[in-house]
């Protein structure tokens, strides 16, 4: 069982549409990070959210951290083919014995067609 | 831009052989992670270090895997003996402050035949 559950697993949309990816857990995180991975490369950090309820915007991408620090969402407005990739959420647990451990969700494969 | 360097990029080896993967973290970063990625399991945490000290290697099969940081510029992941089920992409990542995110290398694609 994954510590972080991402949904949906796969998303295929047309250019110009909006999309939202969800990342949920029953655990509390000190921070939650979003990465994008393209074929043959390692994940690349998009954003880190730290404060419960925090919202961060990165051009057409909006990231939100839940008030209870257990969940997060990524919203893309007017998606473009360049947004295609595997989106991964990752959380840093707050428990004493695993301080600093970064654990990943299974990822959401996003395909944006022209 | 500073980057994490992993070598080799690709490795094909026969079952039973020893495999060593290397990672050069970004200079000044004090935390290093090793992950394994497969289609079935996604990104699995194998081990991580802070200030070169191992903090957690509970994700590694202890009988065949070992991870070390002989110095601040080098992290190694060794498999001995290798098995076909070890075929995966192995990633190294480094960072300084946990809440600021981490930088990943391009990975080592390992195939054990």
């Amino acid at each position: 069982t994954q510590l972080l559950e991402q949904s949906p697993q796969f998303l295929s949309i047309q250019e110009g549409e909006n999309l939202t990816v969800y990342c949920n857990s029953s655990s509390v995180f000190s921070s939650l990070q979003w990465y994008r991975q393209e074929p043959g490369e390692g994940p690349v950090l998009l954003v880190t959210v730290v404060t419960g309820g925090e919202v961060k915007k990165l051009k057409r991408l909006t990231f939100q951290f839940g008030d209870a620090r257990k969940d997060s969402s990524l919203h893309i407005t007017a998606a473009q083919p360049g947004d295609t990739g595997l989106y991964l959420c990752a959380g840093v647990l707050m428990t004493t014995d695993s301080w600093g451990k970064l654990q990943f969700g299974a990822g959401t494969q996003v395909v944006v067609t022209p | 831009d500073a980057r994490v360097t992993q070598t080799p990029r690709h490795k094909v080896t026969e079952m039973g052989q020893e495999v060593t993967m290397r990672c050069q973290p970004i200079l000044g970063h004090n935390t290093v992670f090793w992950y394994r990625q497969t289609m079935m399991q996604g990104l699995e945490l194998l081990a991580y270090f802070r200030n070169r000290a191992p903090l957690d290697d509970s994700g590694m099969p202890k009988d065949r895997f070992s991870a070390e940081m002989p110095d601040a510029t080098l992290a190694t992941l060794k498999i001995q003996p290798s098995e076909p089920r070890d075929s995966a992409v192995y990633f190294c990542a480094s960072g300084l402050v946990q809440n600021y995110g981490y930088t990943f290398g391009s990975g080592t694609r390992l195939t054990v035949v």
Side-chain angles (χ1 to χ4, degrees), chain B residues 80-92:
Chain B
Q80 167 64 19
S82 58
E83 297 180 2
R85 60 180 167 152
D86 301 329
S87 296
V89 182
Y90 291 80
F91 287 104
C92 172

Side-chain angles (χ1 to χ4, degrees), chain A residues 2 30-31 33 35 37 40-45 48 50 86 88 92-93 97-106, chain B residues 9 31 33 35 37 40-43 45 48 50 55-56 58 91 97-107 109:
Chain A
Q2 293 271 4
S30 67
S31 72
Q33 303 168 16
Y35 293 79
Q37 186 178 21
E41 295 299 325
V44 175
L45 179 70
T48 300
V50 178
L86 179 67
L88 296 153
V92 179
L93 287 168
D97 64 348
S98 56
W99 188 83
K101 184 186 288 191
L102 183 68
Q103 308 228 63
F104 280 82
Chain B
R9 283 298 309 270
T31 305
F33 291 86
Y35 289 91
Q37 187 175 40
M40 293 298 295
Q41 300 295 329
L43 274 164
L45 178 63
Y48 76 112
R50 179 158 291 121
L55 286 190
D56 190 333
S58 59
F91 287 104
V97 179
Q98 64 178 16
N99 289 343
Y100 288 1
Y102 297 96
T103 302
F104 279 74
S106 296
R109 181 175 293 277

Side-chain angles (χ1 to χ4, degrees), chain A:
Chain A
T1 306
Q2 293 271 4
L3 185 65
L4 285 159
E5 297 289 338
Q6 280 190 243
S7 61
Q9 287 184 294
F10 183 81
L11 201 53
S12 180
I13 61 171
Q14 297 283 329
E15 183 176 0
E17 293 181 339
N18 301 331
L19 69 98
T20 302
V21 177
Y22 299 93
C23 179
N24 295 296
S25 177
S26 57
S27 298
V28 178
F29 297 96
S30 67
S31 72
L32 213 140
Q33 303 168 16
W34 285 92
Y35 293 79
R36 182 170 70 202
Q37 186 178 21
E38 298 187 21
E41 295 299 325
V44 175
L45 179 70
L46 296 174
V47 79
T48 300
V49 284
V50 178
T51 306
E54 181 177 4
V55 177
K56 277 193 174 178
K57 293 195 174 186
L58 189 67
K59 296 184 181 177
R60 295 176 293 99
L61 278 62
T62 302
F63 304 86
Q64 187 160 8
F65 200 12
D67 291 339
R69 308 163 74 101
K70 294 181 178 181
D71 54 83
S72 180
S73 63
L74 156 62
H75 182 79
I76 301 180
T77 304
Q80 299 177 359
D83 296 326
T84 293
L86 179 67
Y87 288 82
L88 296 153
C89 68
V92 179
L93 287 168
M94 290 183 76
T95 55
T96 304
D97 64 348
S98 56
W99 188 83
K101 184 186 288 191
L102 183 68
Q103 308 228 63
F104 280 82
T108 295
Q109 181 63 50
V110 171
V111 176
V112 183
T113 52

